[in-house]
Amino acid sequence: MARLVELEANGPRRLTADDIDEEKGDVAICQCGLSDSFPFCDGSHRQTEDEAADECYVYDDGTRKLVERVICDDDPA
Ligand code: FES
């Protein structure tokens, strides 16, 4: 499985002691790209549990769509 995600940051996010979950005592970093509180996991990854291994998806406001193909613009204006 693969996922297309759109990220707008153009630099790193430095984690601090304040980022530690006071109840769990840890920091969970999102690796699926779907978290509304990126870079932190918010449980949105549960939407991906039944993705097919050989498909690519995009998520739009909680709706999953299958990506047929990606077209790149080689000459952006
Ligand atoms: S890993 Fe992305 S929301 Fe949990």
Side-chain angles (χ1 to χ4, degrees), residues 1 3 34 44-51 59 64:
M1 84 211 78
R3 225 161 291 117
L34 301 178
S44 295
H45 59 266
R46 294 186 189 100
Q47 301 172 71
T48 69
E49 291 174 350
D50 62 344
E51 289 180 345
Y59 288 78
R64 179 172 56 200

Side-chain angles (χ1 to χ4, degrees), residues 54-73:
D54 57 347
E55 299 288 0
C56 181
Y57 302 93
V58 63
Y59 288 78
D60 184 17
D61 287 331
T63 301
R64 179 172 56 200
K65 298 175 183 171
L66 188 61
V67 174
E68 296 289 331
R69 63 184 178 146
V70 175
I71 300 172
C72 297
D73 185 352

